[in-house]
Amino acid sequence: MPYKHNEPRRHHIPKAKYKVANWPAYDRALQQRGSLTVWTTPEALEAWTPAKTGKRGRPPAHADLAVETAVMLRLAMGRPWRQTEGLLRSIMQLLGLDLPVPDHTTLARRSARLALTTALKVPNGAVSVIIDSSGLKVFGAGEWQHEKHGGKPHRTWRRLHIAVDPDHGDILAAELTTTDEGDASQVGPLLDQIAAPIRAVLADGAYDGDPVYRTVAERQPDARVIIPPRSTAVPSGTAEVVPTQRDHHIRMIAEKGRLGWQRAVGYGKRSLVETACYRYKVLIGRSLRARSLSAQKVEARIACAVINRMTSLGRPIFQKVS
């Protein structure tokens, strides 16, 4: 239940206890996340170096696949560019492959304009998505200047918008923006990245409004939109004749209360997207390593792909202990 509803009596409410029902399988999955087993496919080896285009000028020595692989290793291992270059060279030596490895300056330059057109995860059939955003810190000279000379710190943040599949825990879409972009404006770009029918869209009260409902209806007319209306929300002018989904939510809250509405529509699943944001900050970090916005967009998207790889190894299944 929401904290604000239980605040006067929270000291009388016992803390819920959970246990991991699949601990042996999850324990093996955690061990596999640290495994250094490396394998290659013939398709990857063939696409490692770009094909000749016949155009004028010197062609690039490394394909985008090589740069993307290096970025994934950098984020998964938490290493700077030079250590990432050394790691990739050692992997090539261990595999006995004679393939060119990009140097650290090439990786830093190419990663800023890397084109990522593939989907993070392609669902099998219709899915429900949970949308939310979280802040990522950008460290720069402002932090150092504040520590050295004092004064007002210059802090820069980025907003990571993600759409999560609550059934499997995968990040289906991701978008990194500045803090000037509102959360509701990124619903359309997120849904456009999902190549599957949408059953339902869940989000918190910050997404409440007709623009989000229209965006979801344009993408999937029959999709459910589960967003809690604001406390000051009023029914639309057509609520008595042609009620909208938001009108139904307002009416249900008036009849059952806000907590009863949450249980009736399954709004409790929305917390799973906060879990995904927490996993990002634990596994990847709370700050962005890249400096430019274009490179930061690539970094955030590849980081979500790394988290999906870890999720595919296995995740815990919790059961409430009564």
mmCIF file of all heavy atoms in Angstrom, residues 270-288:
data_model
loop_
_atom_site.group_PDB
_atom_site.id
_atom_site.type_symbol
_atom_site.label_atom_id
_atom_site.label_comp_id
_atom_site.label_asym_id
_atom_site.label_seq_id
_atom_site.Cartn_x
_atom_site.Cartn_y
_atom_site.Cartn_z
ATOM 1 N N ARG A 270 3.112 -1.965 -11.053
ATOM 2 C CA ARG A 270 3.909 -0.828 -11.499
ATOM 3 C C ARG A 270 5.228 -0.737 -10.756
ATOM 4 O O ARG A 270 6.210 -0.172 -11.271
ATOM 5 C CB ARG A 270 3.117 0.468 -11.306
ATOM 6 C CG ARG A 270 3.643 1.657 -12.092
ATOM 7 C CD ARG A 270 3.243 2.953 -11.436
ATOM 8 N NE ARG A 270 3.778 3.073 -10.100
ATOM 9 C CZ ARG A 270 5.019 3.487 -9.826
ATOM 10 N NH1 ARG A 270 5.837 3.773 -10.812
ATOM 11 N NH2 ARG A 270 5.432 3.585 -8.590
ATOM 12 N N SER A 271 5.302 -1.300 -9.562
ATOM 13 C CA SER A 271 6.549 -1.245 -8.803
ATOM 14 C C SER A 271 7.680 -2.008 -9.488
ATOM 15 O O SER A 271 8.850 -1.793 -9.171
ATOM 16 C CB SER A 271 6.331 -1.800 -7.395
ATOM 17 O OG SER A 271 5.933 -3.164 -7.453
ATOM 18 N N LEU A 272 7.345 -2.900 -10.423
ATOM 19 C CA LEU A 272 8.381 -3.678 -11.097
ATOM 20 C C LEU A 272 9.273 -2.804 -11.967
ATOM 21 O O LEU A 272 10.437 -3.134 -12.186
ATOM 22 C CB LEU A 272 7.737 -4.782 -11.945
ATOM 23 C CG LEU A 272 6.945 -5.834 -11.157
ATOM 24 C CD1 LEU A 272 6.283 -6.816 -12.107
ATOM 25 C CD2 LEU A 272 7.855 -6.565 -10.176
ATOM 26 N N VAL A 273 8.750 -1.699 -12.480
ATOM 27 C CA VAL A 273 9.598 -0.818 -13.277
ATOM 28 C C VAL A 273 10.594 -0.086 -12.386
ATOM 29 O O VAL A 273 11.717 0.224 -12.816
ATOM 30 C CB VAL A 273 8.739 0.175 -14.092
ATOM 31 C CG1 VAL A 273 8.088 1.212 -13.188
ATOM 32 C CG2 VAL A 273 9.570 0.862 -15.166
ATOM 33 N N GLU A 274 10.215 0.190 -11.147
ATOM 34 C CA GLU A 274 11.167 0.783 -10.211
ATOM 35 C C GLU A 274 12.269 -0.218 -9.878
ATOM 36 O O GLU A 274 13.428 0.172 -9.658
ATOM 37 C CB GLU A 274 10.440 1.234 -8.953
ATOM 38 C CG GLU A 274 9.399 2.324 -9.206
ATOM 39 C CD GLU A 274 8.667 2.737 -7.945
ATOM 40 O OE1 GLU A 274 8.920 2.098 -6.899
ATOM 41 O OE2 GLU A 274 7.851 3.667 -8.014
ATOM 42 N N THR A 275 11.910 -1.499 -9.822
ATOM 43 C CA THR A 275 12.929 -2.524 -9.628
ATOM 44 C C THR A 275 13.906 -2.547 -10.790
ATOM 45 O O THR A 275 15.124 -2.719 -10.598
ATOM 46 C CB THR A 275 12.272 -3.898 -9.466
ATOM 47 O OG1 THR A 275 11.351 -3.864 -8.374
ATOM 48 C CG2 THR A 275 13.296 -4.986 -9.224
ATOM 49 N N ALA A 276 13.402 -2.371 -12.023
ATOM 50 C CA ALA A 276 14.280 -2.336 -13.192
ATOM 51 C C ALA A 276 15.231 -1.139 -13.138
ATOM 52 O O ALA A 276 16.417 -1.264 -13.471
ATOM 53 C CB ALA A 276 13.450 -2.297 -14.469
ATOM 54 N N CYS A 277 14.739 0.011 -12.709
ATOM 55 C CA CYS A 277 15.609 1.189 -12.560
ATOM 56 C C CYS A 277 16.678 0.934 -11.496
ATOM 57 O O CYS A 277 17.840 1.333 -11.662
ATOM 58 C CB CYS A 277 14.780 2.409 -12.196
ATOM 59 S SG CYS A 277 13.637 2.967 -13.493
ATOM 60 N N TYR A 278 16.290 0.273 -10.422
ATOM 61 C CA TYR A 278 17.261 -0.037 -9.368
ATOM 62 C C TYR A 278 18.312 -1.016 -9.883
ATOM 63 O O TYR A 278 19.517 -0.869 -9.577
ATOM 64 C CB TYR A 278 16.525 -0.618 -8.164
ATOM 65 C CG TYR A 278 17.445 -1.077 -7.051
ATOM 66 C CD1 TYR A 278 18.051 -0.152 -6.202
ATOM 67 C CD2 TYR A 278 17.698 -2.426 -6.846
ATOM 68 C CE1 TYR A 278 18.894 -0.563 -5.177
ATOM 69 C CE2 TYR A 278 18.530 -2.852 -5.830
ATOM 70 C CZ TYR A 278 19.128 -1.917 -5.003
ATOM 71 O OH TYR A 278 19.965 -2.327 -4.001
ATOM 72 N N ARG A 279 17.903 -2.011 -10.666
ATOM 73 C CA ARG A 279 18.858 -2.966 -11.224
ATOM 74 C C ARG A 279 19.840 -2.267 -12.151
ATOM 75 O O ARG A 279 21.029 -2.594 -12.182
ATOM 76 C CB ARG A 279 18.122 -4.074 -11.968
ATOM 77 C CG ARG A 279 17.291 -4.973 -11.070
ATOM 78 C CD ARG A 279 16.567 -6.028 -11.870
ATOM 79 N NE ARG A 279 17.510 -6.930 -12.503
ATOM 80 C CZ ARG A 279 17.506 -7.231 -13.800
ATOM 81 N NH1 ARG A 279 16.608 -6.684 -14.599
ATOM 82 N NH2 ARG A 279 18.386 -8.059 -14.295
ATOM 83 N N TYR A 280 19.361 -1.301 -12.922
ATOM 84 C CA TYR A 280 20.251 -0.547 -13.799
ATOM 85 C C TYR A 280 21.339 0.153 -12.979
ATOM 86 O O TYR A 280 22.527 0.104 -13.323
ATOM 87 C CB TYR A 280 19.455 0.468 -14.610
ATOM 88 C CG TYR A 280 20.278 1.251 -15.615
ATOM 89 C CD1 TYR A 280 20.237 0.931 -16.964
ATOM 90 C CD2 TYR A 280 21.089 2.311 -15.219
ATOM 91 C CE1 TYR A 280 20.989 1.640 -17.894
ATOM 92 C CE2 TYR A 280 21.850 3.010 -16.128
ATOM 93 C CZ TYR A 280 21.794 2.681 -17.465
ATOM 94 O OH TYR A 280 22.556 3.378 -18.375
ATOM 95 N N LYS A 281 20.941 0.803 -11.891
ATOM 96 C CA LYS A 281 21.897 1.588 -11.123
ATOM 97 C C LYS A 281 22.840 0.707 -10.317
ATOM 98 O O LYS A 281 23.952 1.127 -9.992
ATOM 99 C CB LYS A 281 21.138 2.547 -10.199
ATOM 100 C CG LYS A 281 20.356 3.602 -10.973
ATOM 101 C CD LYS A 281 19.633 4.570 -10.067
ATOM 102 C CE LYS A 281 18.890 5.615 -10.885
ATOM 103 N NZ LYS A 281 18.187 6.606 -10.040
ATOM 104 N N VAL A 282 22.420 -0.509 -9.981
ATOM 105 C CA VAL A 282 23.294 -1.419 -9.258
ATOM 106 C C VAL A 282 24.270 -2.110 -10.208
ATOM 107 O O VAL A 282 25.477 -2.198 -9.934
ATOM 108 C CB VAL A 282 22.472 -2.459 -8.476
ATOM 109 C CG1 VAL A 282 23.371 -3.568 -7.926
ATOM 110 C CG2 VAL A 282 21.726 -1.788 -7.332
ATOM 111 N N LEU A 283 23.786 -2.596 -11.339
ATOM 112 C CA LEU A 283 24.617 -3.359 -12.266
ATOM 113 C C LEU A 283 25.484 -2.460 -13.147
ATOM 114 O O LEU A 283 26.642 -2.784 -13.419
ATOM 115 C CB LEU A 283 23.731 -4.247 -13.154
ATOM 116 C CG LEU A 283 22.909 -5.310 -12.428
ATOM 117 C CD1 LEU A 283 22.013 -6.046 -13.406
ATOM 118 C CD2 LEU A 283 23.811 -6.288 -11.694
ATOM 119 N N ILE A 284 24.950 -1.338 -13.601
ATOM 120 C CA ILE A 284 25.682 -0.458 -14.518
ATOM 121 C C ILE A 284 26.273 0.737 -13.772
ATOM 122 O O ILE A 284 27.431 1.083 -13.944
ATOM 123 C CB ILE A 284 24.764 0.026 -15.654
ATOM 124 C CG1 ILE A 284 24.142 -1.172 -16.379
ATOM 125 C CG2 ILE A 284 25.542 0.900 -16.631
ATOM 126 C CD1 ILE A 284 25.144 -2.116 -17.023
ATOM 127 N N GLY A 285 25.472 1.374 -12.941
ATOM 128 C CA GLY A 285 25.946 2.539 -12.193
ATOM 129 C C GLY A 285 24.909 3.637 -12.198
ATOM 130 O O GLY A 285 23.994 3.662 -13.025
ATOM 131 N N ARG A 286 25.072 4.567 -11.281
ATOM 132 C CA ARG A 286 24.134 5.679 -11.158
ATOM 133 C C ARG A 286 24.522 6.878 -12.001
ATOM 134 O O ARG A 286 23.832 7.892 -11.986
ATOM 135 C CB ARG A 286 24.026 6.102 -9.691
ATOM 136 C CG ARG A 286 23.455 5.022 -8.791
ATOM 137 C CD ARG A 286 23.401 5.464 -7.342
ATOM 138 N NE ARG A 286 22.790 4.436 -6.512
ATOM 139 C CZ ARG A 286 21.498 4.341 -6.279
ATOM 140 N NH1 ARG A 286 20.669 5.238 -6.795
ATOM 141 N NH2 ARG A 286 21.003 3.378 -5.527
ATOM 142 N N SER A 287 25.616 6.797 -12.720
ATOM 143 C CA SER A 287 26.071 7.910 -13.543
ATOM 144 C C SER A 287 26.418 7.409 -14.934
ATOM 145 O O SER A 287 26.616 6.210 -15.158
ATOM 146 C CB SER A 287 27.291 8.587 -12.906
ATOM 147 O OG SER A 287 28.363 7.665 -12.802
ATOM 148 N N LEU A 288 26.491 8.342 -15.865
ATOM 149 C CA LEU A 288 26.857 8.059 -17.247
ATOM 150 C C LEU A 288 28.344 8.332 -17.438
ATOM 151 O O LEU A 288 28.876 9.323 -16.934
ATOM 152 C CB LEU A 288 26.034 8.921 -18.208
ATOM 153 C CG LEU A 288 24.533 8.624 -18.231
ATOM 154 C CD1 LEU A 288 23.773 9.761 -18.888
ATOM 155 C CD2 LEU A 288 24.245 7.310 -18.957
#
